[in-house]
């Protein structure tokens, strides 16, 4: 295994993370996998504990979500029992471990649990169909004990069928479908998801079952030692009025060296008709294997859109598989992780996520842009987040949400060349305005009869942002990108320096879009607003050694050397460079200050701000409620740390960019037992934050459900390798370390593949680009869809 840390490591190809655990040797925190399709998914940890949802991971959970990293509780369990001795164990480490070690393999779209107890070898595959609302648990059991065995397998699930089990359990009733033999559950009192029918089924006809959880577990018992496992068979209880579950037990016999495969299916349909169709469609081992094949082919095809070969294995592994998988499975489709069962779409969140999928799945970016535009109010503001399928969500005074629509639209069109998206017609939302002293409200807005093009939606968003304070900077509202600074401008006068940089960046890039869309007047307005912003930023935001972060409602600066806390914030420094506002002298000074004040080399973390909020009289908002040095309050917030590295690539500082890239790569926090004892969380996916406070320095925080995965992908692809795709043209502006003598990128364009080899030459000269031995004068590769392989050689001179 690569990067083995005493508990786990990567398979040779980096596509699986393999973990070995037993009752005495546990991971320091749950190491999970998020397995999803666009409307259905499950989270499963290395202990085997999991929860499953459909449509919305918060609002319609089929089984319970338990955010408990200590106990790692769950509501889905599978047991094996020796029918002769009565001994039983779970097929996963929890809830009833056997005497030996379990091997767990988390892969792209599946997890596998391998175990051997008393001569019975089990291999349990967990995955969901790539399209349908069906979860498979395929259990392969082989007898290597040297004698015939009588065994049984019991599958158990606790029903939720809503958001919280205590709210919904009393309304759930169960029945047995006479044709398929599946256990059916319904919750007629769930008005958000009316008519849904959930099922738990197994192919074996010889079985017993119960749907009474209290009966299965027993009085004063637990899933570690449920009462049902001491009984010959399950009772067959069905109906309503008791604590609901679905448990199925299958007895069978195995000769020596004989193997048996048992397929459990957990799923849901919009109604009984759809549920029965799913049961019929996916019945049988062949259908289960076919579904797994589709899952593996989907992820293979998605990830092969771009593969890299560099001298650094940690970069190769994270770039070639895990961060794209994390972004698509957890962030865009699942909208869930072990630590957050979110379910909702965040307006700015998923828009940023899809930027990292532009090379692999550009159509998903298109869909998300149009979906986000449909959550815009007529006034130009948007829902901060909303719950599908109804669209119930929050309207806020957040000042940056709506601007991500034009930002992402610009990036999408530039890369794909799809200008037709601007003419797509999309409705607006209608809802009451926020009251004067109101920060937000949660409601179900109406869909307006008014429609306009995506272009008009973007213009309306920009116009809504042309609101400035006394320093000529954009108003902060109830928070900008940093939601935790929700009190800085709550009275309508506070200003955001970061938002000034961000707005400038969008305006300067929207000019070309407006001109191309035959809207010269708005192009002129964008240029005028951008010029005014640049002047005001340079006049009122420079603090002497760095840029300030904001101004409070009363005009007090934030992110200034005059502050006791939060004297410097990374966002303003990074975006002063990314946006192009700062002239080179100030840009270098600001970034040097950020590097000096915010990069903690001892603990390998990049802090968001310094010093953390703690005891000062100023109240920036709920950010101050976090312990100093945790999350946004002075810890590493990985999203912002990546922006800092992007800024260094913009400055051409490859050595610092590489130094900091290695620092935030999660693989580099879990290569040894000593490193993982500090970092604790999964070393194969991005963590949204890393603690900077004693004694927890270097402890990873919230994993999986973080936008930092998508931005890490963009950092590596678009900035580190400098890959620029503009419609059918591909060129490179790399910022890689001098120590890399050579590296490769394999890039797929439709049916064609481009094998691009880079060599660094210490000589002086311009970049040299050759395709099939022909020198390209403009240094741009013209992408063609011809089903062929193309060889490209690029020489980078480092004079």
């Amino acid at each position: 295994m690569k990067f083995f840390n005493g508990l786990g490591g990567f398979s040779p190809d980096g596509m699986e993370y393999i973990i070995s655990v037993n009752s005495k040797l546990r991971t320091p925190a749950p190491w999970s996998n998020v397995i999803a399709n666009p409307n259905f998914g499950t989270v499963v940890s290395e202990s085997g504990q999991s929860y499953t949802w459909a449509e919305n991971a918060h609002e319609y959970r089929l089984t319970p979500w338990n955010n408990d990293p200590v106990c790692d509780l769950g509501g889905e369990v599978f047991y094996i029992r020796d029918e002769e001795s009565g001994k039983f164990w779970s097929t996963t480490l929890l809830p009833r471990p056997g005497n030996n070690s379990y091997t767990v393999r988390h892969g792209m779209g599946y997890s596998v649990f391998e175990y051997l107890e008393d001569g019975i070898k089990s291999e349990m595959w967990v995955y969901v169909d790539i399209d349908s609302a069906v979860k498979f648990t395929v259990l392969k059991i082989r007898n290597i004990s040297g004698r015939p065995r009588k065994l049984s397998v019991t599958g158990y699930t606790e029903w939720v069928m809503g958001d919280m089990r205590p709210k919904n359990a009393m309304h759930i009733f169960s029945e047995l479908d006479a044709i398929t033999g599946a256990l059916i559950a319904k919750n007629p009192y769930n008005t958000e998801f009316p008519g849904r029918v959930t099922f738990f089924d197994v192919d074996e006809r010889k079985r017993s079952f119960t749907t009474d959880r209290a009966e299965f577990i027993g009085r004063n018992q637990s899933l570690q030692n449920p009462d049902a496992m001491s009984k010959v068979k399950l009772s067959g209880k069905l109906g309503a009025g008791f604590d609901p579950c679905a448990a199925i037990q299958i007895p069978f016999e195995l000769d020596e060296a004989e193997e048996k495969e048992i397929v459990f299916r957990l799923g849901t349909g919009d109604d009984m008709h759809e549920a029965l169709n799913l049961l019929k469609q996916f019945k049988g081992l062949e259908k289960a294997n076919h579904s797994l094949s589709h899952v593996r082919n989907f992820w293979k095809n998605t990830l092969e859109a771009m593969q890299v070969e560099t001298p650094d294995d940690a970069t190769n592994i994270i770039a070639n598989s895990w961060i794209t998988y994390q972004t698509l499975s957890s962030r865009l489709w699942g909208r869930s992780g072990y630590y957050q069962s979110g379910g909702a779409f965040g307006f700015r969140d998923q828009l940023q996520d899809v930027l990292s999928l532009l090379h692999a799945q550009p159509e998903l970016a298109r869909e998300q842009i149009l979906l986000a535009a449909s959550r815009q109010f007529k006034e130009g503001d948007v829902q901060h987040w909303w719950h599908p399928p109804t669209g119930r969500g929050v309207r806020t005074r957040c000042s940056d949400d709506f601007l991500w629509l034009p930002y992402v639209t610009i990036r999408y069109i530039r890369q794909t060349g799809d200008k037709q998206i601007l003419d797509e017609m999309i409705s607006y939302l209608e809802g009451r305005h926020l009251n004067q002293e109101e920060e937000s409200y949660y409601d179900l807005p109406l869909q307006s009869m008014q429609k306009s093009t995506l272009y008009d939606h973007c213009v309306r968003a920009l116009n809504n942002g042309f609101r400035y304070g006394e320093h000529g900077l954009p108003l902060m509202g109830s928070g900008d990108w940093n939601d935790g600074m929700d009190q800085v401008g709550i009275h309508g006068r506070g200003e955001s320096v970061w938002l000034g940089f961000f707005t400038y960046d969008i305006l300067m890039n929207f000019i070309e879009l407006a001109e191309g869309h035959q809207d010269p007047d708005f192009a002129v307005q964008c240029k005028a607003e951008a010029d005014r912003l640049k002047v005001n930023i340079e006049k009122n935001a420079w603090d002497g050694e760095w840029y300030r972060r904001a101004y409070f409602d009363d005009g007090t600066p934030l992110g200034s050397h005059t502050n006791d806390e939060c004297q410097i914030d990374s966002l303003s420094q990074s975006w002063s460079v990314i946006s192009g506002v700062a002239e080179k002298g100030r840009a270098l000074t600001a970034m040097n200050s950020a590097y000096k004040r915010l990069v903690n080399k001892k603990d390998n973390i990049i802090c968001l701000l310094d010093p953390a909020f703690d005891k000062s009289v100023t109240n920036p908002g709920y950010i101050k409620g976090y312990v100093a040095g945790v999350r946004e309050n002075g810890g590493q917030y990985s999203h912002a740390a990546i922006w800092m590295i992007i800024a260094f690539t913009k400055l051409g500082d490859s050595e610092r960019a590489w130094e900091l890239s290695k620092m935030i790569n999660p693989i580099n926090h879990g290569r040894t037992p000593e490193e993982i004892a500090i970092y604790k969380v999964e070393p194969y996916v991005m963590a949204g934050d890393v603690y900077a406070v004693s004694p927890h320095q270097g402890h990873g925080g919230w994993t999986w459900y973080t936008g930092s995965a998508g931005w890490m992908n963009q950092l590596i692809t678009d900035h580190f390798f400098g890959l620029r795709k503009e419609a059918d043209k591909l060129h490179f502006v790399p910022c890689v370390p001098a120590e890399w003598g050579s590296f490769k990128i394999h890039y797929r364009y439709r049916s064609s593949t481009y094998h691009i080899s880079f060599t660094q030459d210490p000589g002086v000269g311009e970049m040299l680009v050759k395709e099939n031995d022909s020198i390209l004068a403009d240094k741009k590769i013209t992408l063609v869809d011809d089903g062929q392989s193309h060889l490209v050689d690029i020489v980078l001179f480092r004079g």
Side-chain angles (χ1 to χ4, degrees):
M1 285 189 283
K2 292 183 177 180
F3 303 113
F4 181 67
N5 55 32
L7 288 167
F10 292 95
S11 60
D13 63 1
M15 298 291 284
E16 289 185 340
Y17 196 81
I18 305 168
I19 307 163
S20 181
V21 288
N22 55 52
S23 57
K24 295 181 180 179
L25 183 66
R26 299 282 304 275
T27 56
W31 290 2
S32 60
N33 194 1
V34 181
I35 305 169
N37 67 37
N39 291 294
F40 187 83
T42 188
V43 175
V44 59
S45 77
E46 89 297 336
S47 72
Q49 299 301 276
S50 66
Y51 95 101
T52 303
W53 70 86
E55 300 180 67
N56 186 313
H58 185 277
E59 298 295 288
Y60 195 60
R61 300 169 182 142
L62 304 187
T63 59
W65 172 67
N66 294 288
N67 179 15
D68 188 338
V70 177
C71 298
D72 195 13
L73 303 172
E76 302 179 32
V77 185
F78 294 85
Y79 303 97
I80 297 175
R81 184 172 67 185
D82 184 325
E83 292 296 298
E84 295 172 313
S85 68
K87 178 181 178 180
F88 69 96
W89 58 92
S90 51
T91 57
T92 57
L93 182 63
L94 292 179
R96 188 181 178 89
N99 298 318
N100 303 310
S101 291
Y102 291 79
T103 298
V104 184
R105 293 159 35 213
H106 288 320
M108 309 290 125
Y110 64 87
S111 288
V112 184
F113 299 83
E114 300 173 357
Y115 187 63
L116 175 63
E117 180 85 5
D118 285 354
I120 301 301
K121 184 178 181 180
S122 62
E123 181 180 292
M124 187 174 83
W125 286 71
V126 178
Y127 54 96
V128 304
D129 186 73
I130 202 63
D131 298 308
S132 300
V134 179
K135 174 182 178 179
F136 293 92
T137 302
V138 179
L139 192 56
K140 302 177 183 180
I141 301 173
R142 185 174 181 81
N143 177 12
I144 57 173
S145 65
R147 59 186 177 86
R149 302 292 291 273
K150 293 182 178 180
L151 306 167
S152 69
V153 166
T154 302
Y156 168 87
T157 63
E158 295 179 3
W159 293 133
V160 175
M161 298 187 70
D163 54 353
M164 303 296 292
R165 182 173 165 80
K167 282 171 54 179
N168 292 279
M170 68 186 79
H171 304 304
I172 296 171
F173 70 91
S174 303
E175 59 189 53
L176 184 71
D177 179 62
I179 298 175
T180 65
L183 292 177
I184 301 294
K186 301 176 182 178
N187 180 3
Y189 285 82
N190 189 329
T191 57
E192 295 288 310
F193 297 86
R196 303 300 194 273
V197 175
T198 300
F199 57 83
F200 188 53
D201 189 28
V202 68
D203 288 333
E204 307 297 315
R205 300 305 296 177
K206 186 179 181 181
R207 65 174 85 172
S208 60
F209 62 84
T210 184
T211 60
D212 185 343
R213 176 177 176 270
E215 176 189 86
F216 184 90
I217 296 177
R219 185 173 182 178
N220 299 324
Q221 300 292 88
S222 70
L223 289 174
Q224 185 178 20
N225 189 27
D227 191 54
M229 297 306 293
S230 65
K231 304 292 178 61
V232 174
K233 64 178 183 178
L234 304 180
S235 69
K237 193 171 183 180
L238 289 165
F242 42 78
D243 197 358
C245 76
I248 302 175
Q249 189 173 89
I250 304 101
F252 59 95
E253 297 181 6
L254 287 180
D255 288 334
E256 159 60 11
E258 187 179 2
E259 181 177 280
K260 184 177 181 62
E261 292 191 60
I262 300 172
V263 181
F264 288 91
R265 290 175 298 277
L266 170 65
T268 189
D270 287 345
D271 51 31
M272 192 66 175
H273 177 73
E274 184 178 17
L276 292 177
N277 280 343
L278 288 172
L279 283 163
K280 294 172 185 175
Q281 179 183 348
F282 292 103
K283 195 167 188 65
L285 178 61
E286 183 180 349
K287 296 294 180 65
N289 291 337
H290 189 63
S291 177
L292 178 60
S293 178
H294 277 194
V295 168
R296 301 185 80 164
N297 287 338
F298 171 85
W299 286 111
K300 182 177 185 290
N301 181 67
T302 298
L303 299 174
E304 285 183 350
M306 191 173 76
Q307 294 281 291
V308 303
E309 296 178 41
T310 77
D312 184 66
D313 272 347
T315 298
N316 298 338
I317 291 171
I318 206 76
N320 289 338
S321 53
W322 286 94
I323 48 177
T324 298
Y325 175 67
Q326 180 180 359
T327 300
L328 181 49
S329 191
S330 175
R331 283 287 292 184
L332 185 62
W333 284 352
R335 300 183 302 284
S336 183
Y338 187 92
Y339 299 98
Q340 183 187 15
S341 172
F345 281 103
F347 191 91
R348 67 159 89 102
D349 299 341
Q350 277 72 38
L351 276 175
Q352 292 176 77
D353 295 333
V354 296
L355 288 173
S356 71
L357 301 173
L358 284 173
H359 298 292
Q361 297 274 357
E363 66 279 3
L364 295 179
R366 192 182 207 276
E367 292 172 8
Q368 192 61 35
I369 289 168
L370 298 178
L371 175 63
S374 74
R375 311 316 297 173
Q376 183 181 36
F377 291 96
K378 293 190 299 182
E379 293 76 14
D381 62 320
V382 299
Q383 286 183 305
H384 188 57
W385 53 260
W386 70 93
H387 276 301
T390 63
R392 199 181 303 274
V394 290
R395 189 175 194 176
T396 72
R397 298 186 189 277
C398 187
S399 56
D400 76 307
D401 279 335
F402 46 88
L403 292 173
W404 288 100
L405 180 63
Y407 179 86
V408 175
T409 300
I410 292 165
R411 293 271 305 273
Y412 169 79
I413 292 173
R414 181 173 296 160
Q415 184 155 324
T416 65
D418 177 18
K419 296 179 182 179
Q420 292 76 20
I421 192 175
L422 293 173
D423 297 318
E424 293 281 355
M425 297 295 293
I426 310 148
S427 298
Y428 291 95
L429 297 178
E430 291 186 12
R432 71 169 179 83
H433 290 225
L434 287 157
N435 297 324
Q436 187 171 354
E437 298 302 320
E438 197 173 26
E439 291 183 42
S440 64
Y441 70 83
Y442 179 69
D443 197 8
L444 178 61
L446 300 174
Q447 182 173 310
S448 174
M449 296 295 292
Q450 181 180 348
K451 287 186 175 182
S452 68
T453 64
L454 174 63
Y455 177 82
D456 290 335
H457 277 263
C458 291
V459 170
R460 197 167 298 205
L462 285 166
N463 280 323
N464 190 52
F466 296 153
R467 294 176 295 171
Y468 309 107
E470 63 176 314
H471 297 94
L473 303 173
L475 294 176
M476 183 86 163
S478 59
D480 54 15
W481 174 86
N482 193 331
D483 295 332
M485 292 184 173
D486 60 340
Q487 296 299 304
V488 172
I490 194 61
H491 298 301
R493 298 182 298 278
E495 298 161 279
S496 168
V497 174
W498 169 78
L499 191 58
F501 291 124
F502 183 54
T503 303
Y504 176 88
D505 181 271
I506 298 170
L507 291 172
M508 292 301 292
N509 285 289
F510 202 82
I511 292 170
E512 181 183 349
L513 208 65
E515 290 173 342
H517 206 67
Q518 308 304 312
D519 191 1
D521 291 343
F522 192 69
V524 170
Q525 184 182 358
C526 287
K527 183 64 166 63
E529 294 284 350
D531 290 345
R532 189 180 304 116
L533 259 180
K534 183 174 183 177
V535 169
N536 290 333
I537 289 171
E538 295 291 50
K539 178 182 177 181
N540 298 315
W542 183 248
D543 200 62
E545 298 291 327
W546 56 79
Y547 286 95
R548 295 170 179 172
R549 176 63 176 84
Y551 285 93
F552 284 93
D553 284 311
D554 64 1
T556 301
L558 176 63
S560 168
H561 73 281
T562 61
N563 297 124
D564 295 327
E565 297 167 354
C566 188
Q567 294 175 343
I568 182 171
D569 186 301
S570 76
L571 257 66
S572 295
Q573 320 325 312
S574 301
W575 276 86
S576 74
V577 177
I578 294 170
S579 66
V581 168
E583 50 83 20
K584 190 167 185 179
R586 280 191 174 180
L588 289 171
T589 300
M591 291 305 296
N592 284 334
S593 296
Y595 183 83
K596 179 180 178 182
R597 293 286 302 268
L598 301 174
V599 175
N600 179 342
K601 297 184 181 182
K602 177 178 177 292
D603 299 314
N604 285 321
I605 53 180
I606 305 170
C607 298
L608 176 60
L609 55 85
D610 180 70
F613 294 106
D614 190 11
K615 298 177 181 178
S616 64
V617 295
T618 56
N619 178 24
Y622 75 76
I623 185 174
K624 199 173 180 179
Y626 292 124
V627 174
V630 172
R631 291 185 63 80
E632 293 100 322
N633 191 16
Q636 174 177 300
Y637 208 70
S638 302
H639 199 141
I642 293 166
W643 282 343
M644 182 189 289
I645 304 170
I646 289 174
F648 278 119
T649 67
K650 293 276 189 181
L651 292 174
D653 192 339
S654 61
E655 301 312 310
R656 277 190 178 172
W658 175 232
E659 174 194 7
L660 301 183
S661 294
K662 290 188 292 183
M663 198 176 286
I664 66 167
N665 189 327
I667 295 174
N668 294 330
H669 290 266
R671 298 167 297 186
T672 66
E674 293 76 21
E675 287 177 343
I676 207 63
I678 296 171
Y679 190 61
K680 300 188 186 304
V681 297
E682 299 100 324
Y684 46 90
V685 291
M686 290 296 295
D689 61 298
V690 182
Y691 302 165
V693 60
S694 179
H696 304 292
Q697 297 102 321
H699 186 317
W702 191 329
T703 59
W704 279 102
Y705 193 58
T706 164
S708 61
W711 278 103
M712 184 69 169
N713 197 329
Q714 292 180 70
L715 166 65
I716 295 171
T717 302
D718 301 348
H719 301 281
F720 208 58
F721 296 126
L723 189 155
R724 304 281 193 274
K725 180 178 179 292
E726 297 176 0
D728 64 346
K729 299 290 185 180
L730 194 67
H731 64 107
F732 296 86
V733 188
C735 189
V736 297
E739 65 199 63
W740 286 11
S742 63
F743 59 96
K744 295 180 180 180
I745 295 176
H746 306 282
Y747 188 86
R748 188 182 69 223
Y749 176 72
R750 299 179 182 172
S751 66
S752 305
T753 304
Y754 289 78
H755 303 285
I756 307 164
S757 298
F758 294 80
T759 304
Q760 297 210 76
D761 191 308
V764 178
E766 294 184 345
M767 178 190 295
L768 179 67
V769 181
K770 293 195 301 182
E771 182 178 359
N772 298 328
D773 292 328
S774 298
I775 295 176
L776 303 180
D778 62 357
K779 301 176 179 57
K780 293 184 178 180
I781 304 163
T782 299
L783 300 170
V784 293
D785 182 13
D786 62 1
Q788 302 298 310
S789 290
H790 299 257
L791 301 179
V792 179
D793 293 292
I794 298 178
V795 179
L796 309 173
F797 293 98
R798 301 187 70 98

